[in-house]
Amino acid sequence: MARDHGGNLDAAVAQYGAGDWIDLSTGINRRPWPVPPLSPTAWRALPTAKAEAALVRCAADWFG
């Protein structure tokens, strides 16, 4: 027996009907946010402590 990863969409459709489902348990969205092109470094390097601190400041400013 195969195990579903996430929210078992087949069972949800059987119980509630077909629809434009988004399985939030996996974080997969069929209508994703547009993402600009990323540099090759973004795909192969971990952020530095300085970059992480800048991200935290940016998030704090944005979310309050």
Side-chain angles (χ1 to χ4, degrees):
M1 171 194 256
R3 296 186 70 185
D4 287 328
H5 178 275
N8 192 349
L9 184 57
D10 292 333
V13 169
Q15 185 169 351
Y16 301 105
D20 192 17
W21 291 89
I22 297 174
D23 184 354
L24 298 177
S25 67
T26 61
I28 296 172
N29 183 350
R30 290 178 283 156
R31 295 173 299 185
W33 290 90
V35 177
L38 299 172
S39 71
T41 303
W43 294 109
R44 65 177 183 253
L46 293 173
T48 63
K50 183 178 176 181
E52 183 179 356
L55 175 63
V56 170
R57 282 193 307 275
C58 181
D61 290 344
W62 179 260
F63 293 110

